[in-house]
């Protein structure tokens, strides 16, 4: 039986190409598409603890919070409209990623990013000027549409542009800008919350226009990826582009493989239906399970609700916002570690190490909160050391996520799909991610109210499950050219039975043998 990690030897190909300044700058600009997503994640949680915001839009939550001061802390924020505010965005993103998959395939990755930027801008504008709850919700839906487009196109763009040896690092630029977006939002919330007159929340929400402009302008100046140009018939331009990106003249071998992959891809009329074929079973499984598990780490409980959570465990409003800033810094720092390590240590190592780290922290946090709050939710006076221990372990947990499931949750799907199903499969990844982000956001406050400290154990259970999945079912994809990924499935102890007979690039050989298999959809 081959090793559970999958591919041992390389695929025998070694495309020439360097980490040129051109590709580096291009990827940095594209990665900024993550800013809009991150900014929003960070802003929502903080805004919902700002008293003037609650008084204006969610008065009942504020009244309940005031009245409940000394009683059950677990339930003080439990309100369906408040959660709808946070989570409506993710439903919109889910829907738009499906439309975005067609745009990304037919019109290119770049145009998808442009749409993302424009829609997000419109949403931020409406939110900044909101006068009623419906405006907030409409604004958030537009933000969601924008995020759907950006998350669909940016990870694919990065994985296609990067020389394969640095693909991990360049792709994680996306996650880094998500983390930076979250941090900036947390810092701004901290200051805007102090603005006298209570309109700071308008700045927080309207401020989303800035990252929206960055990605909009960025998408206008970026080149399209060679893969996408070939896919749309612009082969000459694609070759010139590839030379420029790789910084060498001899790009023939890689170019030939890209064209072959594109030929295969053209024969597929229904990428969605095609995805259901047996030979794509490993891809489909990863497209669904990786984002599902990423959200079931429970990370967004911290990201959306850190201020709420910290004030639940007894921090004053100000201290709660400050703690969110601290977790934000840890998130950014740990993402940098993964940029350094992902192409050296591999994806599997990071996934497994991060899993163990998160598990330990979830157990400790559950024990700490359980010990003080019990099931009544009434802690009495909380000593300072206690708050420090909880924040410390939440930080270690965030670090574990930020160098494993955070970046890899976007990187791994974007690098394993063959071109003919790439856009469709990526939109499944985005949709599943958004669906479970929505569900966690939607039910978290209610779950906290009912499961109490057991909530952390609920997520811990999933962390164990996902680590087992990685150990047995996820092959290592480090240092494998993207158009040759089939090799990793072919040598995997379990998945090989699904992809047998295929050869790289992406089934081109199989096509040579008849092509029928791809055509009959
Ligand atoms: C996830 C988000 C999460 C963020 C935290 C991303 O990879 O998709 O849901 O909030 O990481 O940094």
């Amino acid at each position: 039986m081959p090793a559970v990690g999958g591919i041992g030897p390389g695929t025998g190909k070694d495309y020439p190409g360097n980490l040129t300044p051109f590709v580096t700058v291009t990827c940095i600009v594209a990665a900024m598409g993550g800013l809009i997503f991150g900014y929003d994640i960070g802003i929502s949680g903080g805004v919902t603890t700002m008293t003037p915001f609650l008084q204006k839009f969610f008065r009942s939550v504020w009244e309940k919070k005031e009245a409940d001061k000394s009683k059950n802390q677990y339930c003080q924020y439990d309100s369906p409209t408040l959660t709808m505010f946070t989570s409506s965005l993710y439903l919109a993103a889910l829907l738009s990623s499906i439309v975005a998959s067609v745009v990304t395939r037919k019109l290119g990755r770049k145009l998808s990013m442009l749409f993302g930027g424009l829609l997000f801008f419109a949403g931020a504008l409406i939110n900044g000027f909101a006068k009623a709850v419906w405006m907030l919700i409409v604004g958030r839906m537009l933000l969601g549409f924008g995020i759907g487009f950006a998350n669909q196109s940016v990870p694919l763009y990065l994985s296609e542009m990067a020389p394969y040896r640095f693909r991990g690092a360049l792709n994680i630029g996306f996650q880094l800008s998500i983390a930076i977006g979250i941090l900036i939002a947390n810092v701004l919330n901290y200051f805007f919350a102090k603005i006298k007159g209570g309109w700071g929340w308008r700045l927080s929400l309207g401020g989303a226009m800035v990252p929206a402009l960055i990605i909009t302008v960025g998408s206008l100046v970026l080149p399209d990826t060679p893969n996408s140009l070939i896919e749309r018939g612009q082969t000459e331009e694609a070759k010139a582009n590839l030379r420029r990106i790789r910084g060498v003249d001899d790009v023939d071998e890689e170019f030939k493989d890209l064209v072959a992959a594109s030929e295969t891809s053209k024969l597929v009329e229904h990428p969605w239906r095609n995805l259901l074929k047996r030979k794509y079973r490993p891809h489909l499984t990863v497209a669904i399970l990786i984002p599902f598990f990423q959200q079931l780490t429970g990370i967004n409980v911290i990201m959306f609700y850190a201020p709420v959570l910290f004030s639940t465990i007894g921090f004053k409003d100000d201290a709660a916002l400050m703690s969110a800033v601290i977790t934000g810094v840890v998130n950014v720092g740990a993402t940098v570690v993964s940029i350094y390590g992902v192409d050296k240590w591999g994806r599997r190592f990071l996934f497994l190490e991060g899993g163990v780290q998160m598990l330990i922290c979830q157990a400790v946090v559950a024990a700490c909160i359980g010990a003080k709050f019990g099931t009544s939710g009434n802690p009495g006076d909380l000593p300072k050391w206690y708050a420090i221990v909880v924040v410390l372990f939440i930080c270690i947990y965030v670090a574990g996520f930020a160098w494993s499931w955070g970046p890899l949750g976007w990187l791994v799907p974007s690098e394993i799909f063959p071109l003919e199903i790439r856009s469709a499969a990526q939109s499944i990844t985005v949709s599943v991610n958004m669906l479970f982000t929505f569900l966690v956001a939607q039910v978290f406050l209610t779950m906290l109210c009912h499961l109490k400290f057991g909530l952390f154990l609920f997520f811990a259970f999933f962390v164990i499950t996902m680590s087992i999945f990685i150990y047995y079912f996820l092959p290592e994809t480090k240092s494998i050219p993207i158009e040759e990924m089939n090799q990793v499935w072919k040598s995997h102890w379990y998945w090989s039975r699904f992809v047998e007979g295929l050869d790289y690039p992406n089934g081109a050989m199989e096509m040579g043998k008849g092509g029928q298999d791809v055509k009959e959809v």
Side-chain angles (χ1 to χ4, degrees):
M1 175 175 115
V4 278
I7 199 160
T11 58
K13 297 224 174 175
D14 187 14
Y15 303 136
N18 310 314
L19 191 58
T20 57
F22 179 68
V23 82
T24 312
V25 172
T26 307
C27 287
I28 292 175
V29 174
M32 286 188 184
L35 281 180
I36 57 174
F37 184 36
Y39 185 85
D40 187 82
I41 295 168
I43 278 296
S44 342
V47 161
T48 49
T49 54
M50 291 184 191
T51 304
F53 179 81
L54 286 178
Q55 282 172 332
K56 187 167 172 69
F57 296 109
F58 303 98
R59 201 163 181 94
S60 62
V61 180
W62 175 72
E63 279 164 3
K64 187 160 156 221
K65 187 178 158 207
E66 286 300 292
D68 266 9
K69 277 252 151 80
S70 62
K71 298 198 213 100
N72 190 344
Q73 295 284 321
Y74 290 126
C75 299
Q76 60 171 341
Y77 287 98
D78 183 15
S79 146
T81 19
L82 188 60
T83 30
M84 200 56 196
F85 165 76
T86 305
S87 57
S88 56
L89 180 150
Y90 296 93
L91 275 190
L94 188 166
L95 294 177
S96 79
S97 74
I98 296 168
V99 182
S101 96
V102 181
V103 175
T104 311
R105 182 174 176 179
K106 301 233 152 113
L107 305 175
R109 284 72 174 131
K110 226 171 102 100
L111 213 66
S112 244
M113 287 185 220
L114 178 65
F115 286 161
L118 291 174
L119 287 163
F120 199 83
F121 187 87
L125 194 69
I126 296 186
N127 269 351
F129 289 101
K131 294 213 170 334
V133 176
W134 71 263
M135 284 180 81
L136 283 182
I137 308 268
V138 169
R140 281 190 73 73
M141 295 194 73
L142 284 168
L143 297 179
F145 289 138
I147 289 176
F149 272 91
N151 288 15
Q152 162 75 23
S153 47
V154 174
L156 290 189
Y157 183 93
L158 293 170
S159 284
E160 290 181 345
M161 286 302 257
Y164 68 93
R165 281 189 229 90
F166 305 100
R167 189 177 58 239
L170 289 177
N171 183 291
I172 294 179
F174 177 64
Q175 177 71 18
L176 184 64
S177 49
I178 296 178
I180 292 174
I182 297 176
L183 176 61
I184 293 175
N186 284 337
V187 173
L188 291 181
N189 271 342
Y190 180 76
F191 289 108
F192 291 160
K194 294 181 194 295
I195 290 181
K196 302 255 175 329
W199 46 271
W201 62 269
R202 288 196 187 277
L203 291 181
S204 295
L205 295 182
M209 284 188 273
V210 177
L213 278 179
I214 295 179
I215 169 82
T216 306
V217 174
S219 72
L220 292 173
V221 298
L222 289 173
D224 228 329
T225 68
N227 318 50
S228 176
L229 288 170
I230 297 174
E231 199 176 22
R232 288 176 291 130
Q234 303 170 28
T235 24
E236 279 318 302
E237 201 183 333
K239 193 162 190 179
N241 231 3
L242 190 61
R243 285 207 180 99
R244 186 149 174 238
I245 296 166
R246 299 286 176 255
V248 291
D249 273 341
D250 174 23
V251 291
D252 289 353
E253 192 176 13
E254 182 172 8
F255 187 71
K256 213 173 71 218
D257 286 347
L258 292 180
V259 172
S262 163
E263 292 302 317
T264 313
S265 151
K266 286 216 184 81
L267 294 168
V268 176
E269 282 162 36
H270 305 283
W272 293 95
R273 237 191 299 158
N274 211 47
L275 255 178
L276 296 176
K277 286 193 169 167
R278 186 177 159 84
K279 65 179 178 182
Y280 297 126
R281 211 51 53 80
H283 311 87
L284 190 60
T285 310
V286 172
I288 295 172
L289 284 186
I290 294 282
F292 165 76
F293 283 143
Q294 190 205 50
Q295 289 309 313
L296 268 294
T297 56
I299 187 65
N300 281 323
V301 161
I302 309 294
M303 293 301 148
F304 296 151
Y305 298 115
V308 171
L309 192 72
F310 287 128
S311 69
T312 298
I313 58 178
F315 288 36
K316 300 266 173 309
D317 280 358
D318 203 32
L321 285 176
M322 194 59 213
S323 322
V325 173
I326 296 172
T327 54
V329 172
V330 171
N331 195 20
V332 172
T335 309
V336 175
V337 174
S338 75
I339 291 185
Y340 172 80
V342 69
D343 295 313
K344 289 195 176 64
W345 311 322
R347 287 58 166 154
R348 284 170 51 85
F349 170 78
L350 286 174
F351 266 129
L352 295 172
E353 192 284 335
V356 172
Q357 190 169 324
M358 286 191 286
L359 183 64
I360 295 172
C361 294
Q362 281 163 327
V364 173
V365 171
C368 284
I369 298 186
K372 279 286 171 190
F373 288 75
T375 45
S376 70
N378 190 353
D381 278 338
L382 288 171
K384 199 161 184 181
W385 65 262
Y386 166 84
I388 293 173
V389 169
V390 173
V391 173
L392 184 70
F393 276 89
I394 287 185
C395 285
I396 303 176
Y397 162 83
V398 168
F401 173 87
W403 59 53
S404 64
W405 281 88
L408 302 176
W410 296 104
L411 166 65
V412 169
S414 79
E415 66 185 4
I416 60 148
F417 306 134
L419 187 62
E420 65 270 18
I421 54 162
R422 197 168 293 157
S423 295
Q426 175 71 7
S427 74
I428 294 195
T429 296
V430 178
S431 306
V432 173
N433 195 307
M434 295 301 139
L435 176 66
F436 286 93
T437 309
F438 167 78
L439 289 177
V440 170
Q442 192 65 24
V443 300
F444 163 67
L445 293 175
T446 312
M447 275 170 87
L448 180 66
C449 182
H450 294 285
L451 287 181
K452 307 179 167 77
F453 60 86
L455 180 62
F456 295 92
L457 300 178
F458 168 84
F459 290 119
F461 163 80
F462 279 99
V463 171
I464 297 175
T465 316
M466 64 189 80
S467 301
I468 295 174
F469 170 78
I470 296 293
Y471 185 76
Y472 286 106
F473 295 103
L474 191 83
E476 182 56 66
T477 47
K478 160 189 113 170
S479 296
I480 314 282
I482 191 168
E483 306 303 347
E484 293 188 41
M485 213 42 98
N486 241 325
Q487 286 300 98
V488 304
W489 309 112
K490 280 181 75 173
S491 51
H492 189 267
W493 73 274
Y494 180 74
W495 297 120
S496 55
R497 71 198 69 186
F498 292 90
V499 296
E500 253 155 8
L502 285 179
D503 216 332
Y504 56 82
N506 295 321
M509 294 271 281
E510 175 195 275
M511 272 208 19
K513 285 185 221 142
Q516 235 68 350
D517 189 22
V518 186
K519 252 183 205 152
E520 35 111 321
V521 191

